[in-house]
Amino acid sequence: MKLVYEFTVSGSLEERVIGRGPYGTRVIVKASGGLARGERINGTIVGAAGD
């Protein structure tokens, strides 16, 4: 099998510290946006949405 380059992803993350838990600090990380760029694919990553 030969691996080939397809695309590069870059993104923005937002984090929210929830507090201390029994195994360390709890954190929620959300992808808030970004880009995917390559020869055969180009796209925009959008943040979470609700219905």
Short mmCIF file of all heavy atoms in Angstrom, two decimals:
data_model
loop_
_atom_site.label_atom_id
_atom_site.label_comp_id
_atom_site.label_asym_id
_atom_site.label_seq_id
_atom_site.Cartn_x
_atom_site.Cartn_y
_atom_site.Cartn_z
N MET A 1 0.85 -1.16 0.00
CA MET A 1 0.00 0.00 0.00
C MET A 1 0.90 1.23 0.00
O MET A 1 1.86 1.30 0.75
CB MET A 1 -0.89 0.00 1.24
CG MET A 1 -1.69 1.25 1.35
SD MET A 1 -2.94 1.36 2.68
CE MET A 1 -2.22 0.57 4.05
N LYS A 2 0.55 2.21 -0.82
CA LYS A 2 1.30 3.45 -0.90
C LYS A 2 0.45 4.60 -0.35
O LYS A 2 -0.70 4.76 -0.75
CB LYS A 2 1.68 3.74 -2.36
CG LYS A 2 2.46 4.99 -2.53
CD LYS A 2 2.79 5.20 -4.00
CE LYS A 2 3.49 6.53 -4.18
NZ LYS A 2 3.74 6.82 -5.59
N LEU A 3 1.00 5.35 0.58
CA LEU A 3 0.28 6.50 1.13
C LEU A 3 0.55 7.71 0.28
O LEU A 3 1.68 7.93 -0.18
CB LEU A 3 0.74 6.76 2.56
CG LEU A 3 0.49 5.65 3.57
CD1 LEU A 3 1.04 6.04 4.93
CD2 LEU A 3 -0.99 5.35 3.68
N VAL A 4 -0.48 8.51 0.05
CA VAL A 4 -0.33 9.74 -0.73
C VAL A 4 -0.93 10.90 0.06
O VAL A 4 -1.88 10.74 0.82
CB VAL A 4 -1.00 9.64 -2.11
CG1 VAL A 4 -0.31 8.61 -2.98
CG2 VAL A 4 -2.47 9.32 -1.99
N TYR A 5 -0.36 12.08 -0.15
CA TYR A 5 -0.87 13.29 0.49
C TYR A 5 -2.23 13.62 -0.10
O TYR A 5 -2.40 13.62 -1.32
CB TYR A 5 0.11 14.44 0.25
CG TYR A 5 -0.47 15.79 0.58
CD1 TYR A 5 -0.51 16.24 1.89
CD2 TYR A 5 -0.96 16.61 -0.42
CE1 TYR A 5 -1.04 17.48 2.19
CE2 TYR A 5 -1.50 17.85 -0.12
CZ TYR A 5 -1.54 18.28 1.18
OH TYR A 5 -2.07 19.49 1.46
N GLU A 6 -3.21 13.91 0.72
CA GLU A 6 -4.54 14.32 0.25
C GLU A 6 -4.86 15.75 0.60
O GLU A 6 -5.29 16.51 -0.24
CB GLU A 6 -5.62 13.39 0.82
CG GLU A 6 -5.64 12.01 0.21
CD GLU A 6 -6.06 12.00 -1.26
OE1 GLU A 6 -6.73 12.93 -1.72
OE2 GLU A 6 -5.71 11.03 -1.94
N PHE A 7 -4.71 16.12 1.88
CA PHE A 7 -5.05 17.49 2.27
C PHE A 7 -4.43 17.82 3.62
O PHE A 7 -3.99 16.96 4.36
CB PHE A 7 -6.56 17.71 2.31
CG PHE A 7 -7.31 16.80 3.24
CD1 PHE A 7 -7.54 17.17 4.55
CD2 PHE A 7 -7.78 15.58 2.80
CE1 PHE A 7 -8.24 16.33 5.40
CE2 PHE A 7 -8.48 14.74 3.65
CZ PHE A 7 -8.71 15.12 4.95
N THR A 8 -4.40 19.11 3.91
CA THR A 8 -3.95 19.64 5.18
C THR A 8 -5.15 20.25 5.89
O THR A 8 -5.96 20.94 5.26
CB THR A 8 -2.87 20.72 4.97
OG1 THR A 8 -1.76 20.13 4.30
CG2 THR A 8 -2.40 21.31 6.29
N VAL A 9 -5.26 20.00 7.17
CA VAL A 9 -6.35 20.56 7.97
C VAL A 9 -5.77 21.52 8.99
O VAL A 9 -4.78 21.23 9.65
CB VAL A 9 -7.13 19.44 8.71
CG1 VAL A 9 -8.17 20.02 9.63
CG2 VAL A 9 -7.76 18.49 7.73
N SER A 10 -6.39 22.68 9.09
CA SER A 10 -6.05 23.63 10.16
C SER A 10 -7.36 24.05 10.80
O SER A 10 -8.38 24.18 10.12
CB SER A 10 -5.29 24.84 9.61
OG SER A 10 -6.09 25.56 8.70
N GLY A 11 -7.33 24.22 12.09
CA GLY A 11 -8.57 24.53 12.78
C GLY A 11 -8.39 25.43 13.98
O GLY A 11 -7.28 25.64 14.46
N SER A 12 -9.51 25.93 14.44
CA SER A 12 -9.56 26.74 15.65
C SER A 12 -10.29 25.97 16.73
O SER A 12 -11.33 25.35 16.45
CB SER A 12 -10.31 28.05 15.39
OG SER A 12 -9.69 28.78 14.37
N LEU A 13 -9.74 25.98 17.91
CA LEU A 13 -10.35 25.27 19.03
C LEU A 13 -10.71 26.25 20.13
O LEU A 13 -10.00 27.22 20.37
CB LEU A 13 -9.39 24.22 19.58
CG LEU A 13 -8.93 23.14 18.61
CD1 LEU A 13 -7.89 22.25 19.29
CD2 LEU A 13 -10.09 22.31 18.12
N GLU A 14 -11.82 25.98 20.79
CA GLU A 14 -12.21 26.73 21.98
C GLU A 14 -12.25 25.75 23.14
O GLU A 14 -12.77 24.66 23.00
CB GLU A 14 -13.60 27.34 21.79
CG GLU A 14 -13.69 28.37 20.70
CD GLU A 14 -15.11 28.89 20.51
OE1 GLU A 14 -15.98 28.60 21.36
OE2 GLU A 14 -15.34 29.57 19.50
N GLU A 15 -11.68 26.14 24.25
CA GLU A 15 -11.72 25.25 25.41
C GLU A 15 -12.38 25.94 26.58
O GLU A 15 -12.32 27.16 26.73
CB GLU A 15 -10.33 24.76 25.78
CG GLU A 15 -9.45 25.75 26.45
CD GLU A 15 -8.13 25.13 26.90
OE1 GLU A 15 -7.61 24.27 26.20
OE2 GLU A 15 -7.66 25.53 27.96
N ARG A 16 -13.06 25.13 27.37
CA ARG A 16 -13.72 25.63 28.57
C ARG A 16 -13.34 24.70 29.72
O ARG A 16 -13.57 23.50 29.66
CB ARG A 16 -15.23 25.64 28.37
CG ARG A 16 -15.98 26.24 29.55
CD ARG A 16 -17.43 26.41 29.25
NE ARG A 16 -18.04 25.14 28.88
CZ ARG A 16 -19.32 24.85 29.07
NH1 ARG A 16 -20.14 25.74 29.57
NH2 ARG A 16 -19.80 23.68 28.72
N VAL A 17 -12.75 25.26 30.74
CA VAL A 17 -12.35 24.48 31.92
C VAL A 17 -13.58 24.31 32.80
O VAL A 17 -14.21 25.28 33.19
CB VAL A 17 -11.21 25.17 32.68
CG1 VAL A 17 -10.86 24.39 33.94
CG2 VAL A 17 -9.99 25.33 31.80
N ILE A 18 -13.92 23.06 33.08
CA ILE A 18 -15.10 22.75 33.90
C ILE A 18 -14.74 22.77 35.38
O ILE A 18 -15.51 23.26 36.19
CB ILE A 18 -15.67 21.36 33.52
CG1 ILE A 18 -16.04 21.33 32.05
CG2 ILE A 18 -16.84 20.99 34.39
CD1 ILE A 18 -17.08 22.34 31.64
N GLY A 19 -13.60 22.26 35.72
CA GLY A 19 -13.19 22.22 37.12
C GLY A 19 -12.42 20.95 37.42
O GLY A 19 -12.16 20.13 36.55
N ARG A 20 -12.07 20.79 38.66
CA ARG A 20 -11.29 19.61 39.06
C ARG A 20 -12.21 18.42 39.23
O ARG A 20 -13.32 18.53 39.72
CB ARG A 20 -10.57 19.90 40.37
CG ARG A 20 -9.57 21.03 40.19
CD ARG A 20 -8.25 20.90 40.87
NE ARG A 20 -7.81 19.64 41.35
CZ ARG A 20 -6.90 18.86 40.72
NH1 ARG A 20 -6.39 19.24 39.58
NH2 ARG A 20 -6.51 17.75 41.28
N GLY A 21 -11.71 17.26 38.79
CA GLY A 21 -12.41 16.00 38.96
C GLY A 21 -11.51 15.04 39.71
O GLY A 21 -10.38 15.39 40.07
N PRO A 22 -11.95 13.82 39.91
CA PRO A 22 -11.16 12.85 40.67
C PRO A 22 -9.86 12.45 39.96
O PRO A 22 -8.93 11.97 40.60
CB PRO A 22 -12.10 11.65 40.82
CG PRO A 22 -13.12 11.80 39.75
CD PRO A 22 -13.24 13.27 39.49
N TYR A 23 -9.77 12.66 38.63
CA TYR A 23 -8.58 12.27 37.86
C TYR A 23 -7.89 13.46 37.20
O TYR A 23 -7.14 13.30 36.25
CB TYR A 23 -8.95 11.22 36.81
CG TYR A 23 -9.54 9.98 37.43
CD1 TYR A 23 -10.90 9.73 37.35
CD2 TYR A 23 -8.75 9.08 38.12
CE1 TYR A 23 -11.45 8.60 37.92
CE2 TYR A 23 -9.28 7.95 38.70
CZ TYR A 23 -10.63 7.72 38.60
OH TYR A 23 -11.17 6.59 39.18
N GLY A 24 -8.17 14.66 37.66
CA GLY A 24 -7.53 15.85 37.09
C GLY A 24 -8.55 16.89 36.68
O GLY A 24 -9.73 16.80 37.01
N THR A 25 -8.09 17.88 35.96
CA THR A 25 -8.94 18.98 35.53
C THR A 25 -9.79 18.56 34.34
O THR A 25 -9.28 18.01 33.37
CB THR A 25 -8.09 20.21 35.15
OG1 THR A 25 -7.27 20.56 36.26
CG2 THR A 25 -8.95 21.39 34.77
N ARG A 26 -11.09 18.85 34.39
CA ARG A 26 -11.99 18.52 33.28
C ARG A 26 -12.08 19.72 32.34
O ARG A 26 -12.29 20.84 32.77
CB ARG A 26 -13.38 18.18 33.80
CG ARG A 26 -13.40 16.90 34.59
CD ARG A 26 -14.81 16.60 35.05
NE ARG A 26 -14.89 15.29 35.63
CZ ARG A 26 -15.28 14.20 34.96
NH1 ARG A 26 -15.63 14.30 33.71
NH2 ARG A 26 -15.31 13.05 35.56
N VAL A 27 -11.91 19.44 31.04
CA VAL A 27 -11.93 20.48 30.02
C VAL A 27 -12.79 20.01 28.86
O VAL A 27 -12.72 18.86 28.44
CB VAL A 27 -10.49 20.77 29.51
CG1 VAL A 27 -10.51 21.81 28.42
CG2 VAL A 27 -9.59 21.19 30.64
N ILE A 28 -13.62 20.90 28.32
CA ILE A 28 -14.38 20.63 27.10
C ILE A 28 -13.71 21.43 25.98
O ILE A 28 -13.47 22.63 26.12
CB ILE A 28 -15.85 21.07 27.25
CG1 ILE A 28 -16.54 20.21 28.30
CG2 ILE A 28 -16.57 20.98 25.90
CD1 ILE A 28 -17.96 20.62 28.59
N VAL A 29 -13.39 20.75 24.87
CA VAL A 29 -12.76 21.40 23.73
C VAL A 29 -13.70 21.28 22.54
O VAL A 29 -14.19 20.19 22.22
CB VAL A 29 -11.40 20.76 23.39
CG1 VAL A 29 -10.77 21.43 22.19
CG2 VAL A 29 -10.46 20.85 24.59
N LYS A 30 -13.98 22.42 21.89
CA LYS A 30 -14.91 22.46 20.77
C LYS A 30 -14.18 22.98 19.53
O LYS A 30 -13.45 23.96 19.61
CB LYS A 30 -16.06 23.38 21.13
CG LYS A 30 -17.08 23.61 20.04
CD LYS A 30 -18.26 24.43 20.52
CE LYS A 30 -17.92 25.89 20.51
NZ LYS A 30 -19.08 26.77 20.74
N ALA A 31 -14.38 22.31 18.39
CA ALA A 31 -13.85 22.81 17.12
C ALA A 31 -14.76 23.94 16.67
O ALA A 31 -15.95 23.75 16.43
CB ALA A 31 -13.81 21.70 16.08
N SER A 32 -14.21 25.16 16.56
CA SER A 32 -15.03 26.31 16.22
C SER A 32 -14.91 26.73 14.76
O SER A 32 -15.62 27.62 14.32
CB SER A 32 -14.69 27.49 17.14
OG SER A 32 -13.32 27.81 17.02
N GLY A 33 -14.04 26.10 14.01
CA GLY A 33 -13.91 26.42 12.60
C GLY A 33 -12.56 25.98 12.06
O GLY A 33 -11.70 25.53 12.81
N GLY A 34 -12.38 26.11 10.74
CA GLY A 34 -11.10 25.75 10.16
C GLY A 34 -11.19 25.56 8.66
O GLY A 34 -12.21 25.86 8.03
N LEU A 35 -10.11 25.04 8.09
CA LEU A 35 -10.00 24.84 6.65
C LEU A 35 -9.40 23.47 6.35
O LEU A 35 -8.58 22.98 7.11
CB LEU A 35 -9.09 25.90 6.02
CG LEU A 35 -9.52 27.35 6.14
CD1 LEU A 35 -8.39 28.27 5.68
CD2 LEU A 35 -10.76 27.60 5.33
N ALA A 36 -9.80 22.89 5.23
CA ALA A 36 -9.18 21.68 4.68
C ALA A 36 -8.76 22.03 3.26
O ALA A 36 -9.60 22.45 2.46
CB ALA A 36 -10.15 20.51 4.68
N ARG A 37 -7.48 21.89 2.94
CA ARG A 37 -6.97 22.30 1.63
C ARG A 37 -6.08 21.22 1.04
O ARG A 37 -5.20 20.69 1.72
CB ARG A 37 -6.16 23.58 1.73
CG ARG A 37 -6.96 24.79 2.15
CD ARG A 37 -7.81 25.29 1.00
NE ARG A 37 -8.55 26.48 1.39
CZ ARG A 37 -9.86 26.50 1.51
NH1 ARG A 37 -10.57 25.43 1.29
NH2 ARG A 37 -10.48 27.62 1.85
N GLY A 38 -6.31 20.90 -0.21
CA GLY A 38 -5.49 19.93 -0.93
C GLY A 38 -5.76 20.01 -2.42
O GLY A 38 -6.53 20.84 -2.88
N GLU A 39 -5.12 19.12 -3.17
CA GLU A 39 -5.30 19.11 -4.62
C GLU A 39 -6.71 18.70 -5.02
O GLU A 39 -7.29 19.25 -5.94
CB GLU A 39 -4.30 18.14 -5.26
CG GLU A 39 -3.33 18.81 -6.19
CD GLU A 39 -2.41 17.79 -6.82
OE1 GLU A 39 -2.85 17.07 -7.76
OE2 GLU A 39 -1.26 17.71 -6.36
N ARG A 40 -7.25 17.70 -4.32
CA ARG A 40 -8.56 17.17 -4.69
C ARG A 40 -9.69 17.55 -3.75
O ARG A 40 -10.85 17.21 -4.01
CB ARG A 40 -8.47 15.64 -4.77
CG ARG A 40 -7.46 15.17 -5.77
CD ARG A 40 -7.37 13.67 -5.94
NE ARG A 40 -7.70 12.88 -4.78
CZ ARG A 40 -8.19 11.65 -4.84
NH1 ARG A 40 -8.43 11.09 -5.99
NH2 ARG A 40 -8.44 10.99 -3.74
N ILE A 41 -9.38 18.23 -2.65
CA ILE A 41 -10.42 18.62 -1.70
C ILE A 41 -10.11 19.99 -1.12
O ILE A 41 -8.97 20.31 -0.83
CB ILE A 41 -10.57 17.57 -0.57
CG1 ILE A 41 -11.76 17.90 0.33
CG2 ILE A 41 -9.31 17.47 0.25
CD1 ILE A 41 -12.11 16.80 1.31
N ASN A 42 -11.14 20.81 -1.01
CA ASN A 42 -11.05 22.10 -0.35
C ASN A 42 -12.36 22.28 0.41
O ASN A 42 -13.43 22.05 -0.14
CB ASN A 42 -10.89 23.25 -1.36
CG ASN A 42 -9.52 23.25 -1.99
OD1 ASN A 42 -8.53 23.34 -1.29
ND2 ASN A 42 -9.48 23.13 -3.30
N GLY A 43 -12.26 22.68 1.65
CA GLY A 43 -13.49 22.84 2.42
C GLY A 43 -13.30 23.73 3.62
O GLY A 43 -12.18 24.07 4.01
N THR A 44 -14.42 24.12 4.17
CA THR A 44 -14.47 24.94 5.37
C THR A 44 -15.10 24.13 6.49
O THR A 44 -16.13 23.49 6.28
CB THR A 44 -15.29 26.21 5.13
OG1 THR A 44 -14.73 26.92 4.03
CG2 THR A 44 -15.31 27.10 6.35
N ILE A 45 -14.48 24.13 7.64
CA ILE A 45 -15.01 23.46 8.81
C ILE A 45 -15.77 24.50 9.61
O ILE A 45 -15.23 25.55 9.96
CB ILE A 45 -13.89 22.86 9.67
CG1 ILE A 45 -13.09 21.85 8.83
CG2 ILE A 45 -14.45 22.21 10.93
CD1 ILE A 45 -11.76 21.46 9.45
N VAL A 46 -17.05 24.24 9.84
CA VAL A 46 -17.86 25.19 10.60
C VAL A 46 -18.04 24.68 12.02
O VAL A 46 -17.91 23.48 12.28
CB VAL A 46 -19.24 25.41 9.94
CG1 VAL A 46 -19.08 26.05 8.57
CG2 VAL A 46 -20.01 24.12 9.80
N GLY A 47 -18.34 25.58 12.93
CA GLY A 47 -18.52 25.20 14.33
C GLY A 47 -19.80 24.40 14.52
O GLY A 47 -20.58 24.17 13.59
N ALA A 48 -20.00 23.99 15.73
CA ALA A 48 -21.17 23.18 16.08
C ALA A 48 -22.45 23.97 15.86
O ALA A 48 -22.49 25.19 15.94
CB ALA A 48 -21.08 22.74 17.53
N ALA A 49 -23.53 23.26 15.56
CA ALA A 49 -24.84 23.88 15.35
C ALA A 49 -25.89 23.10 16.13
O ALA A 49 -25.70 21.92 16.42
CB ALA A 49 -25.19 23.90 13.88
N GLY A 50 -26.96 23.75 16.45
CA GLY A 50 -28.05 23.08 17.16
C GLY A 50 -29.34 23.17 16.37
O GLY A 50 -29.52 24.05 15.55
N ASP A 51 -30.20 22.23 16.61
CA ASP A 51 -31.50 22.24 15.92
C ASP A 51 -32.55 22.93 16.75
O ASP A 51 -32.58 22.90 17.92
CB ASP A 51 -31.97 20.80 15.64
CG ASP A 51 -31.08 20.13 14.61
OD1 ASP A 51 -30.65 20.81 13.68
OD2 ASP A 51 -30.85 18.93 14.76
#
